[in-house]
Amino acid sequence: DYNKAEMIAWAEEYEHPIFYNLFDEIDYNSMVTIRELWNILWNYRLVKQEKWKDLCFYSMISTVLNEKEDDLRIHPIISSEPGTGKDEGLNLVKEILDKLGYKTYKPASVTDRTLLGGVNAAQMEINTKKGEDSEKWQDPREPGILKDANWIGLGESECIFKPGAHNRQIQLILRQAMDKGRTIEKGVAGLMIDIYTNTTFAFATYPLPDIINKILTNGLFQRALYFDKKLKAGEHEAIVKHVTKMRFDSSVKENFNEARYKELLCQKLKGMKMWYDENKKKFVFYKGAHDYVDYLWD
């Protein structure tokens, strides 16, 4: 006779074991929302970290929508000291998007060539010797991951904020990729590599002293949401204890079927995407919305 959804929410809040299996309930699909499922998975994998949870959630949602007319992408930048679990949030986003069939990457670092691609010098030599009519002639351009990536997460993104000689153009490439036009062009060896991308980016980094200056002065992340947090002693202790509990307390996994929650979340996200595609042309701003935007600017 109890409301089992509320019982589970209460158990999550006070970190008690979950004794009910909601998947036995016939009406569970109508009972729980996408956001609630995300919260359940996040709280299981990470200590709450509300702002990180929100940023990763909207990064995932904007990738699933994959809107190519209006730019709805959310690019979060999460900054905090090492050992705070911020990278684990990106891992969870990637796992869900992979299950849905989206193309995702989580490279340790990136260069201009990683993102945009380059020219195969050996193939260019063959083309020069054999000519365009030869069976061995091929386009020597090799596109990078921006061509097909729906989502790119960088858990160690200081290579972006502190580019070296080998990737000094990377900020310009990312700025163009995040622009509403989403088209990047690069000349290499006399050829043009042009890519249209709809990639959503997510970055995690340790605190950098000049990161705010880079974001504000060079327009690097014009559409990004930046969140920096220095954890208090109690918060860091809670993260360490949670990691220890997940690693060594076998009862945690016995009482929580993560795969089933992921599967239900994916079903819900598929339904959301279908509904959005069918209804997006009906969306309108309410009358007077421009007045509110003017007020915010003022």
Side-chain angles (χ1 to χ4, degrees):
D1 295 331
Y2 291 103
N3 184 320
K4 296 182 180 181
E6 290 185 4
M7 293 283 286
I8 285 187
W10 173 82
E12 287 283 351
E13 181 178 357
Y14 294 100
E15 298 183 351
H16 291 303
I18 298 173
F19 295 111
Y20 285 116
N21 181 1
L22 288 184
F23 285 92
D24 293 336
E25 299 295 328
I26 296 175
D27 62 340
Y28 182 51
N29 286 353
S30 61
M31 230 166 83
V32 68
T33 65
I34 291 174
R35 185 54 180 267
E36 288 168 341
L37 283 167
W38 175 256
N39 290 347
I40 289 171
L41 283 166
W42 183 277
N43 292 341
Y44 170 72
R45 291 277 289 269
L46 296 95
V47 180
K48 293 188 177 179
Q49 302 161 333
E50 295 297 325
K51 296 293 191 299
W52 300 353
K53 179 172 66 175
D54 291 348
L55 290 170
C56 288
F57 176 76
Y58 288 112
S59 172
M60 176 185 69
I61 292 294
S62 62
T63 305
V64 172
L65 291 179
N66 198 26
E67 172 59 46
K68 296 183 178 179
E69 294 180 18
D70 296 318
D71 193 353
L72 303 179
R73 296 173 297 165
I74 300 296
H75 311 294
I77 308 170
I78 301 168
S79 171
S80 190
E81 59 265 30
T84 52
K86 58 187 178 295
D87 195 33
E88 184 64 15
L90 301 187
N91 290 338
L92 182 57
V93 174
K94 186 179 190 307
E95 289 168 18
I96 298 299
L97 293 176
D98 286 345
K99 285 180 69 66
L100 289 168
Y102 290 92
K103 193 75 171 179
T104 69
Y105 296 91
K106 196 168 178 286
S109 63
V110 290
T111 63
D112 307 359
R113 186 180 180 91
T114 308
L115 294 173
L116 272 188
V119 172
N120 187 321
Q123 185 60 50
M124 282 194 69
E125 186 176 349
I126 292 173
N127 292 350
T128 302
K129 291 180 179 179
K130 302 294 184 179
E132 291 189 16
D133 296 331
S134 169
E135 294 181 355
K136 294 185 177 181
W137 191 96
Q138 294 180 13
D139 190 339
R141 293 172 294 182
E142 297 175 336
I145 61 177
L146 282 180
K147 185 175 179 63
D148 64 355
N150 299 110
W151 181 88
I152 296 176
L154 281 157
E156 302 293 340
S157 54
E158 57 270 18
C159 66
I160 305 296
F161 299 105
K162 297 171 63 177
H166 65 293
N167 66 337
R168 65 180 61 211
Q169 294 294 317
I170 200 166
Q171 293 181 355
L172 175 61
I173 293 170
L174 286 173
R175 188 163 68 242
Q176 290 179 313
M178 291 179 179
D179 187 72
K180 189 173 181 179
R182 289 161 281 188
T183 300
I184 313 105
E185 297 179 344
K186 177 185 178 183
V188 180
L191 298 174
M192 288 298 297
I193 297 177
D194 54 281
I195 287 179
Y196 170 82
T197 183
N198 201 40
T199 304
T200 299
F201 300 91
F203 305 90
T205 180
Y206 62 81
L208 298 171
D210 58 347
I211 188 171
I212 294 293
N213 181 61
K214 290 184 181 298
I215 291 174
L216 294 179
T217 58
N218 66 8
L220 178 58
F221 294 112
Q222 296 175 357
R223 303 183 64 87
L225 295 177
Y226 173 70
F227 178 69
D228 176 75
K229 182 173 184 179
K230 184 173 180 59
L231 292 182
K232 300 175 183 177
E235 292 175 315
H236 193 270
E237 180 182 353
I239 291 173
V240 172
K241 286 185 175 181
H242 186 78
V243 171
T244 302
K245 183 178 178 181
M246 293 294 294
R247 185 171 298 174
F248 298 109
D249 186 353
S250 59
S251 66
V252 175
K253 295 183 179 179
E254 291 173 0
N255 294 323
F256 188 89
N257 192 331
E258 183 180 13
R260 300 279 295 277
Y261 279 98
K262 283 182 178 178
E263 184 60 34
L264 185 55
L265 175 58
C266 288
Q267 292 175 16
K268 292 271 187 177
L269 288 170
K270 288 178 183 177
M272 180 199 72
K273 169 64 173 170
M274 184 181 301
W275 181 90
Y276 174 77
D277 288 341
E278 292 174 353
N279 292 276
K280 64 181 181 180
K281 297 298 183 184
K282 302 175 184 177
F283 296 160
V284 294
F285 290 106
Y286 64 87
K287 291 182 179 179
H290 65 282
D291 294 330
Y292 180 63
V293 177
D294 288 341
Y295 169 75
L296 292 176
W297 275 110
D298 293 340

